[in-house]
Amino acid sequence: QVQLVESGGGLVRAGGSLRLSCAASGGIITINTMGWYRQAPGKQRELVASITRDGRTNYADSVEGRFTISRSDVKNTVYLQMNSLIPEDTAVYYCNVEGRRAGIPPGFESWGQGTQVTVSS
């Protein structure tokens, strides 16, 4: 069972920064795509950013230029650097990781438990 542990959320004033981390563990062989999603109250979960194994990134239009996703394959960890935060960024942020693991079935997709990010005006 692949587990994801998130950290780094919190309360910040508009214009501030936060850095989220998500570490994966549990019989992992390779990790393909890693991503961050968010869900605000009353809204559907949406993709914030993703990064592939070869480093290709994809960002939601609303965070382009303000957020940066990165990864460490040595640590099986994905990061989300969030700068110039605005109140509209307030949500629960979830990491998502998919890849191959030891065991059956070999493919996996796992979600983190979620971390709250609150941006005050």
Side-chain angles (χ1 to χ4, degrees):
Q1 185 83 9
V2 175
Q3 295 184 331
L4 305 183
V5 177
E6 300 179 18
S7 60
L11 173 64
V12 64
R13 298 185 70 171
S17 299
L18 285 173
R19 189 191 194 211
L20 305 182
S21 299
C22 173
S25 62
I28 295 170
I29 297 175
T30 59
I31 294 178
N32 297 323
T33 301
M34 310 179 86
W36 288 95
Y37 291 71
R38 67 186 181 187
Q39 187 167 18
K43 295 187 177 181
Q44 290 191 334
R45 189 173 297 189
E46 63 175 357
L47 175 68
V48 176
S50 64
I51 183 168
T52 64
R53 184 170 173 78
D54 59 2
R56 286 176 291 130
T57 57
N58 179 47
Y59 294 95
D61 289 345
S62 59
V63 307
E64 183 83 52
R66 299 188 297 120
F67 291 10
T68 302
I69 190 170
S70 61
R71 61 189 282 171
S72 167
D73 289 330
V74 172
K75 297 180 180 180
N76 287 338
T77 299
V78 60
Y79 306 96
L80 186 67
Q81 178 66 44
M82 304 185 293
N83 298 329
S84 302
L85 284 159
I86 59 178
E88 290 76 14
D89 294 320
T90 295
V92 178
Y93 284 70
Y94 299 89
C95 63
N96 176 269
V97 173
E98 63 92 7
R100 291 178 58 83
R101 63 178 180 180
I104 303 295
F108 76 89
E109 179 182 13
S110 294
W111 289 88
Q113 79 280 7
T115 185
Q116 177 70 45
V117 171
T118 303
V119 184
S120 64
S121 57

